[in-house]
Amino acid sequence: MSILLERDTTFIVQGITGREAVNLTRECLDYGSKVVGGVTPGRKGREVHGVPVFDTVGQAVEHHGSPIDGSVVTVPPAFTKDAVIEALENGIKLIVVVTERIPRGDVAAMVELAEIKGARIIGPNCLGLIVPEVCKMGGIGGPAEDAAKSYSPGPVGVMSRSGGMTTEISSSLTHAGLGVSTAISIGGDAIIGSTYAELMPYFEADGQTEAIVIYTEPGGRMEAELAEWVKENSSRLPIVAFMAGKFMDDDEMQGMSFGHAGTIVEGKEDSATEKIKRLEAAGIAVVERIDEIPDAIKERIGK
Amino acid sequence: MRFYEYESRKIVERAGVPVTKYGFCQTAEEARRVAEDIGCPVVIKSQVLSGGRMKAGGVQFADTPDEAARHAEDILGLEINGLMPVGVLVDPKAEIKQEYYAGVVWDGTAKKPLMLFSDMGGIDIEQVAENHPEHVGRGHVSNLFPVGDFEAKQVIAATGVTGRQLNRATPVLARLARLFLENDMLLAEINPLAELTDGSFVALDAHMEMEDEAVGRQKQLLRNELKIAEEDTRDQYEPSTFERNVKAIDAADHRGVIQGKDHGFSGNLGLVIGAGGGSLTLTDAVRNQGGKPANYSEIGGNPSVAKTCGLAKEVLQKDGVEKIAVMMSIVSNTRVDIVARGVIKACLELDLDPAETIAIFRIPGAWEDEGFRILDRYGVEYYDRSVSLWDAAGRAVAKIQGAAA
């Protein structure tokens, strides 16, 4: 079992002829993912690693002959909103938005339409998601052989605001003999398609998942939302959190953002210290050091 | 991007919200002319990107044009919270019957903008929300569908406002919400929104902030209408030489991204680190183990050797830097060998021994075997993924402390 992806999940890559997208397509194919098409306007008829390229999402769906499950969107920020809406209008239900620096209003518009269409957006400003040895959707974990080193199947669900840290943490779980059920790079922006709290019900319903790790940063109210969710839903899943960017609490750092656009602290409640308090009050274990995560999980699931 | 009050007023004015007849002045003489033109009494307000203007003496009232000129002279030379004003705003002293608050902010949890209205204006809205929640109306707006006047009306009516006041305030809040969406604002506030003794509603003060990501597509407003120069970024603080240099190196080459900040850092351990989350984690890990970072940095994407070398050289040339630590979370896109080449090149070009200068190198991932081979050749201490970010940072701190002892 896993969440959001299965072995048969099909997806396209919008913006497939871009340099990063070509690499990402290769990586996903090597991992065994079913990339059934790509879209770049004006490039119909080409191929990227054997994947047919179309001008529109509609053409890709028609060529495939049945609905396509997902899309990885990696087009420049000015065109992302249109690309995501095109995917949604063509019946795609899972969209990974890789692009960063998209204005908030555009992100909010995509998310609003996704909700109307019953679809889910992961990102923007993310690396996608992976179910070890089953499917990789996006650049997460890098080339297939590298991804295999970092991700082995196991009982821990991982959600992270940082793409790189998704792999760093998963690798430590893999090397500790635990492994990962599904790992999701949720994105580093202030507004994202799927927050921790919105993804929790999927993990809750997944038989394979026994515990959750979240990587978090200053800025935004996503952790407060998770704390609320945990309190209201008496979740069966123990959660271990790691908070990076505590140095941003210093007086000299006020009003600055580091690492990701979403780290801008707009009120005291968004600071690292306040978030840690709130998570702990909800019964979430917040570890001080990144390397304490595997043991904290073992302690909680008795392995 | 933050705006001065006189710009924020222009922004609400162009969206159809009434404002008083005011003037923006950069000399005392201009202030006198504007005061004569609009008629006294007037209020002179410092145009500075800082709160607390009133307390600092940056807002003064004048009964004659001469007095207006004198106040303007004083205020133009008055520093507020370390910032000098760019001018003064001369505004008629309004005959206020009632003050309201109208604002739009982002609600990150709902992922929608939130309209706010209060019949207790002129004070901080957060204070009103805390002490008099029944005096604050709220309502989300869509990013897909046009904002209806009725939505603004509902928010205002929730505070108990009715009658002519409701009908006057409704288009103001609706227009504010529309401009918030159209102009990619992070914050749009009119406080106070004043009902004057003649019954009209005017924006007496406005506060706007635009999202940096949207500056590119708001050129018409920023450059053509508000005449804000491209280099006028309204940053919170002046960038340092280090920050400017790193930015220039990054801009010169489109491959990969490097960033460097040293505002608030003054240690002896230079950090050449990445990526976004890894840099945050590593900076904490160095500090929490007693290390003193000289800077913050980020390597992202797949930068060239020259770019990585450029970043490392800038870090190494910072005052007080004794060694650098080169560390990243497991990389998939960034190539380990390219970063290794870049940092070694930086040492050699500065006549430094890489084995001495690079306290530790911990970047596992893509092309690591090639990277480690290069590091071996120069005797640089390196680690793969079996050493955690915490332990790597600790090792770097121990080495620099050992060197100092």
Side-chain angles (χ1 to χ4, degrees):
Chain A
M1 282 284 286
S2 54
I3 78 163
L4 298 166
L5 297 180
E6 291 166 18
R7 200 169 296 279
D8 296 331
T9 299
T10 53
F11 62 91
I12 56 169
V13 177
Q14 287 174 266
I16 192 165
T17 53
R19 194 166 53 97
E20 304 292 335
V22 168
N23 290 339
L24 176 159
T25 302
R26 166 89 271 164
E27 293 171 11
C28 291
L29 288 168
D30 287 348
Y31 202 75
S33 303
K34 298 192 166 50
V35 188
V36 297
V39 176
T40 299
R43 303 282 172 87
K44 187 184 175 188
R46 298 197 185 190
E47 282 192 353
V48 171
H49 298 303
V51 174
V53 179
F54 303 95
D55 287 331
T56 69
V57 175
Q59 289 169 358
V61 174
E62 196 186 326
H63 176 265
H64 184 61
S66 60
I68 294 170
D69 301 318
S71 176
V72 176
V73 178
T74 162
V75 303
F79 309 111
T80 308
K81 178 174 132 183
D82 196 59
V84 170
I85 292 178
E86 185 185 359
L88 289 167
E89 292 294 342
N90 282 280
I92 289 176
K93 298 294 184 200
L94 178 65
I95 300 173
V96 168
V97 184
V98 176
T99 313
E100 57 182 305
R101 299 192 66 81
I102 308 172
R104 255 178 240 204
D106 286 10
V107 179
M110 307 170 198
V111 172
E112 196 174 336
L113 186 63
E115 200 168 304
I116 293 169
K117 297 275 183 189
R120 179 147 296 284
I121 291 175
I122 305 290
N125 190 5
C126 80
L127 293 182
L129 62 162
I130 185 169
V131 177
E133 295 178 7
V134 172
C135 184
K136 162 176 136 89
M137 184 174 177
I140 189 165
E145 58 181 275
D146 289 355
K149 273 192 218 165
S150 301
Y151 293 92
S152 68
V156 188
V158 178
M159 294 186 272
S160 165
R161 283 170 66 174
S162 156
M165 293 304 288
T166 317
T167 295
E168 183 73 35
I169 290 169
S170 298
S171 174
S172 73
L173 294 168
T174 292
H175 289 265
L178 284 162
V180 168
S181 60
T182 302
I184 308 174
S185 157
I186 62 172
D189 284 357
I191 293 190
I192 53 172
S194 301
T195 59
Y196 308 119
E198 289 168 314
L199 292 168
M200 276 305 289
Y202 294 87
F203 282 114
E204 191 74 31
D206 172 38
Q208 183 185 341
T209 304
E210 293 172 39
I212 298 289
V213 173
I214 68 162
Y215 164 90
T216 176
E217 299 176 347
R221 302 287 152 91
M222 232 181 286
E223 295 73 18
E225 189 196 5
L226 174 66
E228 279 302 305
W229 188 92
V230 167
K231 278 195 254 177
E232 282 168 17
N233 293 275
S234 58
S235 170
R236 71 179 171 89
L237 300 170
I239 304 177
V240 172
F242 174 75
M243 168 71 63
K246 292 194 255 305
F247 73 91
M248 288 176 61
D249 280 2
D250 283 13
D251 285 344
E252 303 90 59
M253 309 294 174
Q254 295 310 305
M256 296 173 74
S257 75
F258 290 87
H260 300 114
T263 58
I264 184 86
V265 174
E266 282 161 351
K268 192 167 163 273
E269 289 171 41
D270 310 351
S271 69
T273 311
E274 287 296 314
K275 284 187 182 201
I276 290 171
K277 269 193 224 160
R278 197 166 300 197
L279 290 168
E280 284 178 339
I284 294 168
V286 183
V287 293
E288 178 69 25
R289 293 163 40 170
I290 187 81
D291 58 353
E292 291 169 344
I293 292 173
D295 283 345
I297 289 288
K298 282 181 181 169
E299 209 176 286
R300 278 161 185 81
I301 60 177
K303 294 210 174 176
Chain B
M1 170 155 209
R2 300 176 298 161
F3 295 102
Y4 293 99
E5 180 193 355
Y6 77 98
E7 294 167 335
S8 296
R9 286 212 196 189
K10 273 190 216 165
I11 295 169
V12 297
E13 191 179 1
R14 72 195 277 286
V17 174
V19 294
T20 52
K21 189 181 173 194
Y22 63 91
F24 171 68
C25 313
Q26 290 180 294
T27 65
E29 213 30 59
E30 275 180 80
R32 181 200 309 276
R33 277 202 304 276
V34 172
E36 274 167 5
D37 188 32
I38 64 181
C40 287
V42 291
V43 51
I44 321 291
K45 299 162 91 175
S46 174
Q47 296 300 290
V48 65
L49 292 176
S50 165
R53 288 183 300 178
M54 185 72 103
K55 223 176 178 179
V59 180
Q60 301 285 345
F61 296 91
D63 289 323
T64 65
D66 281 346
E67 202 185 351
R70 276 201 306 278
H71 284 320
E73 184 84 55
D74 292 344
I75 293 172
L76 284 167
L78 176 73
E79 191 183 276
I80 300 179
N81 293 328
L83 297 167
M84 290 302 286
V86 293
V88 294
L89 190 138
V90 180
D91 205 27
K93 192 177 169 208
E95 300 281 328
I96 300 167
K97 194 160 126 197
Q98 160 100 35
E99 291 185 327
Y100 298 89
Y101 169 95
V104 186
V105 296
W106 272 106
D107 178 345
T109 308
K111 305 174 192 178
K112 282 178 179 167
L114 179 69
M115 286 188 287
L116 292 162
F117 188 85
S118 174
D119 56 344
M120 296 177 71
I123 47 174
D124 188 13
I125 186 68
E126 282 170 21
Q127 219 176 302
V128 180
E130 196 165 320
N131 301 329
H132 309 277
E134 72 284 6
H135 284 277
V136 181
R138 296 160 204 268
H140 289 109
V141 294
S142 168
N143 286 272
L144 286 176
F145 307 108
V147 180
D149 280 357
F150 78 92
E151 295 176 72
K153 184 183 69 178
Q154 288 173 174
V155 171
I156 300 165
T159 65
V161 171
T162 177
R164 215 174 40 78
Q165 284 78 6
L166 174 67
N167 293 326
R168 288 285 181 112
T170 295
V172 173
L173 183 58
R175 284 167 190 169
L176 191 65
R178 287 178 201 129
L179 90 79
F180 180 94
L181 294 169
E182 278 161 26
N183 297 129
D184 290 299
M185 293 299 178
L186 290 179
L187 170 73
E189 271 185 335
I190 299 172
N191 191 23
L193 168 66
E195 181 189 9
L196 303 182
T197 43
D198 66 2
S200 62
F201 272 66
V202 292
L204 277 191
D205 198 350
H207 190 67
M208 303 275 147
E209 194 175 340
M210 182 184 282
E211 192 178 12
D212 288 335
E213 276 70 15
V215 163
R217 69 181 184 191
Q218 295 293 342
K219 281 200 176 121
Q220 167 63 21
L221 170 63
L222 297 173
R223 315 283 176 245
N224 300 347
E225 295 184 41
L226 297 174
K227 313 280 182 206
I228 299 172
E230 200 146 340
E231 55 277 12
D232 183 3
T233 55
R234 310 277 166 93
D235 288 337
Q236 295 264 3
Y237 65 94
E238 260 319 282
S240 67
T241 312
F242 170 75
E243 290 168 351
R244 272 199 306 270
N245 291 352
V246 172
K247 206 169 183 176
I249 295 165
D250 185 52
D253 183 342
H254 72 278
R255 285 169 294 177
V257 183
I258 55 162
Q259 284 182 56
K261 290 183 184 178
D262 64 351
H263 180 84
F265 291 94
S266 59
N268 57 353
L269 180 60
L271 298 182
V272 179
I273 54 179
S279 291
L280 293 178
T281 303
L282 285 159
T283 305
D284 279 343
V286 167
R287 286 187 13 150
N288 294 347
Q289 293 178 83
K292 295 186 182 64
N295 66 289
Y296 173 86
S297 71
E298 268 173 48
I299 299 172
N302 194 16
S304 60
V305 171
K307 210 167 186 173
T308 314
C309 171
L311 172 64
K313 273 171 90 170
E314 287 301 325
V315 174
L316 279 166
Q317 290 176 96
K318 270 181 59 64
D319 277 348
V321 169
E322 293 164 26
K323 289 180 189 292
I324 54 171
V326 184
M327 309 182 283
M328 288 179 77
S329 50
I330 299 169
V331 293
S332 51
N333 191 10
T334 310
R335 275 173 52 174
V336 178
D337 61 321
I338 288 180
V339 180
R341 275 180 219 279
V343 294
I344 287 170
K345 190 159 180 265
C347 293
L348 299 177
E349 285 182 9
L350 294 171
D351 269 330
L352 297 165
D353 175 7
E356 277 298 310
T357 311
I358 301 170
I360 144 165
F361 184 105
R362 190 273 189 192
I363 309 180
W367 295 72
E368 64 179 19
D369 293 341
E370 176 68 10
F372 296 159
R373 207 175 50 76
I374 297 162
L375 293 163
D376 264 334
R377 200 186 309 150
Y378 288 90
V380 176
E381 183 177 329
Y382 65 84
Y383 295 101
D384 63 9
R385 72 182 67 201
S386 63
V387 170
S388 72
L389 293 173
W390 173 268
D391 286 337
R395 178 70 188 140
V397 172
K399 275 186 89 170
I400 201 161
Q401 285 174 347

